[in-house]
Amino acid sequence: KELDAVQVPDDITAYFTARTAILEQLCAGAVPIQLLMANFSGDAVWASYEQGFQQAFAEMKLAMPPLTGSSESNAHALQSAISLTIIGKKQFQRSIEGCAYFVVGEPLVGNDVIANPEKIAKLFELYEGLTTGIIEAIWPTGSKGIAKEIERFIGQGYTSEVNLQKSAGPSCSVLVAVKPQQIETFKKNISAPIHGIG
């Protein structure tokens, strides 16, 4: 819409919305089984939003789960707005014990997200790492910055060379736990920037 702070096609908005919700599912050791959308941008964009969701699942080589929800057509917003709830089924056992910790990707927000796709942690690489046992656990970062999420993931006293205070936007950077014997393979399989956490 005209007053959107970041001007991108509707499917891009939906892709990054889905990406964030999917990463939260993977963080909990779950795989999505149902999508629930509240679309505040009007019926005309429903198909574009759905296309963006499909793109996120296609990136992971997964079929998109069923989508339901509503267009809140009784409320007319001046900016684009979308809400996505994902129901998942537990499939992974998370563990961070005896691991090394890394930040995958860079903290990006707003137009920097669109301008720097190579600096964003890739959904498929993280999902593949979890399903093959290369990655033990992940933890997305967002608007509160990486430092806050490091505390929640592994505790206080940890730091990294990446900017820890800047907003990471739609989970552009993700914290990961990797067993020492898998570190070399992990680094080979990740295309986004990797920063150690010590």
Side-chain angles (χ1 to χ4, degrees):
K1 294 187 177 182
E2 186 178 349
L3 296 181
D4 287 349
V6 179
Q7 293 286 330
V8 294
D10 294 312
D11 62 314
I12 300 298
T13 299
Y15 167 79
F16 280 101
T17 302
R19 168 198 163 76
T20 301
I22 289 168
L23 285 168
E24 294 287 357
Q25 288 280 314
L26 297 180
C27 173
V31 171
I33 60 171
Q34 177 71 53
L35 309 184
L36 305 167
M37 172 169 59
N39 163 24
F40 297 93
S41 301
D43 289 329
V45 302
W46 183 282
S48 294
Y49 281 165
E50 186 171 359
Q51 182 181 352
F53 299 159
Q54 288 173 336
Q55 180 186 341
F57 284 96
E59 183 179 329
M60 298 167 65
K61 297 182 170 52
L62 294 176
M64 189 180 90
L67 170 66
T68 189
S70 65
S71 294
E72 308 299 330
S73 53
N74 60 333
H76 298 283
L78 297 177
Q79 293 177 301
S80 300
I82 179 177
S83 170
L84 179 66
T85 300
I86 297 183
I87 298 170
K89 183 176 181 179
K90 188 88 168 179
Q91 288 200 6
F92 305 106
Q93 292 301 320
R94 296 177 64 253
S95 173
I96 63 171
E97 297 299 321
C99 289
Y101 310 113
F102 301 90
V103 179
V104 175
E106 301 280 345
L108 302 169
V109 69
N111 288 306
D112 285 343
V113 176
I114 305 305
N116 298 281
E118 75 285 354
K119 295 181 180 179
I120 299 173
K122 305 294 184 291
L123 267 180
F124 173 70
E125 293 172 353
L126 296 170
Y127 177 69
E128 184 179 54
L130 283 168
T131 56
T132 59
I134 295 169
I135 296 173
E136 293 293 319
I138 70 167
W139 191 280
T141 67
S143 59
K144 291 183 174 66
I146 295 171
K148 195 72 175 174
E149 300 304 339
I150 287 177
E151 287 183 22
R152 296 176 65 197
F153 187 44
I154 50 178
Q156 296 182 344
Y158 290 87
T159 189
S160 181
E161 62 185 17
V162 70
N163 187 331
L164 299 179
Q165 307 306 322
K166 181 181 176 183
S167 169
S171 300
C172 292
S173 52
V174 176
L175 310 179
V176 299
V178 182
K179 292 288 188 189
Q181 63 270 27
Q182 295 284 5
I183 292 175
E184 187 176 341
T185 304
F186 160 72
K187 289 184 175 180
K188 285 180 182 176
N189 290 1
I190 297 295
S191 58
I194 298 173
H195 303 278
I197 299 172

Short mmCIF file of all heavy atoms in Angstrom, two decimals, residues 98-100 178-184:
data_model
loop_
_atom_site.label_atom_id
_atom_site.label_comp_id
_atom_site.label_asym_id
_atom_site.label_seq_id
_atom_site.Cartn_x
_atom_site.Cartn_y
_atom_site.Cartn_z
N GLY A 98 26.87 -29.53 25.17
CA GLY A 98 28.11 -29.95 24.53
C GLY A 98 28.29 -29.44 23.12
O GLY A 98 29.02 -30.03 22.32
N CYS A 99 27.62 -28.34 22.78
CA CYS A 99 27.66 -27.81 21.42
C CYS A 99 28.52 -26.55 21.32
O CYS A 99 28.80 -25.88 22.32
CB CYS A 99 26.25 -27.47 20.95
SG CYS A 99 25.21 -28.90 20.63
N ALA A 100 28.90 -26.25 20.10
CA ALA A 100 29.45 -24.94 19.77
C ALA A 100 28.29 -24.11 19.21
O ALA A 100 27.33 -24.67 18.66
CB ALA A 100 30.55 -25.07 18.72
N VAL A 178 25.74 -26.65 17.36
CA VAL A 178 26.34 -27.69 16.53
C VAL A 178 27.32 -28.50 17.36
O VAL A 178 28.15 -27.92 18.08
CB VAL A 178 27.07 -27.07 15.30
CG1 VAL A 178 27.65 -28.16 14.41
CG2 VAL A 178 26.15 -26.16 14.52
N LYS A 179 27.23 -29.82 17.27
CA LYS A 179 28.21 -30.68 17.96
C LYS A 179 29.59 -30.46 17.35
O LYS A 179 29.71 -30.26 16.13
CB LYS A 179 27.82 -32.15 17.81
CG LYS A 179 26.55 -32.55 18.54
CD LYS A 179 26.74 -32.59 20.04
CE LYS A 179 25.52 -33.17 20.74
NZ LYS A 179 25.57 -33.04 22.20
N PRO A 180 30.65 -30.50 18.15
CA PRO A 180 32.00 -30.24 17.63
C PRO A 180 32.37 -31.07 16.41
O PRO A 180 33.00 -30.57 15.47
CB PRO A 180 32.90 -30.56 18.83
CG PRO A 180 32.03 -30.28 20.02
CD PRO A 180 30.65 -30.70 19.62
N GLN A 181 31.95 -32.32 16.38
CA GLN A 181 32.33 -33.19 15.26
C GLN A 181 31.60 -32.84 13.95
O GLN A 181 31.97 -33.32 12.88
CB GLN A 181 32.09 -34.66 15.60
CG GLN A 181 30.65 -35.04 15.88
CD GLN A 181 30.27 -34.91 17.35
OE1 GLN A 181 30.85 -34.11 18.07
NE2 GLN A 181 29.32 -35.72 17.78
N GLN A 182 30.59 -31.98 14.04
CA GLN A 182 29.83 -31.61 12.86
C GLN A 182 30.15 -30.21 12.35
O GLN A 182 29.61 -29.78 11.33
CB GLN A 182 28.31 -31.67 13.17
CG GLN A 182 27.78 -33.05 13.48
CD GLN A 182 27.63 -33.91 12.23
OE1 GLN A 182 28.00 -33.51 11.14
NE2 GLN A 182 27.08 -35.10 12.39
N ILE A 183 31.05 -29.50 13.03
CA ILE A 183 31.30 -28.10 12.69
C ILE A 183 31.80 -27.93 11.26
O ILE A 183 31.33 -27.05 10.52
CB ILE A 183 32.28 -27.45 13.69
CG1 ILE A 183 31.62 -27.32 15.07
CG2 ILE A 183 32.75 -26.09 13.20
CD1 ILE A 183 32.53 -26.82 16.16
N GLU A 184 32.73 -28.75 10.84
CA GLU A 184 33.29 -28.62 9.49
C GLU A 184 32.20 -28.82 8.43
O GLU A 184 32.09 -28.05 7.47
CB GLU A 184 34.42 -29.62 9.28
CG GLU A 184 35.15 -29.44 7.97
CD GLU A 184 36.34 -30.37 7.81
OE1 GLU A 184 36.84 -30.89 8.83
OE2 GLU A 184 36.78 -30.56 6.67
#
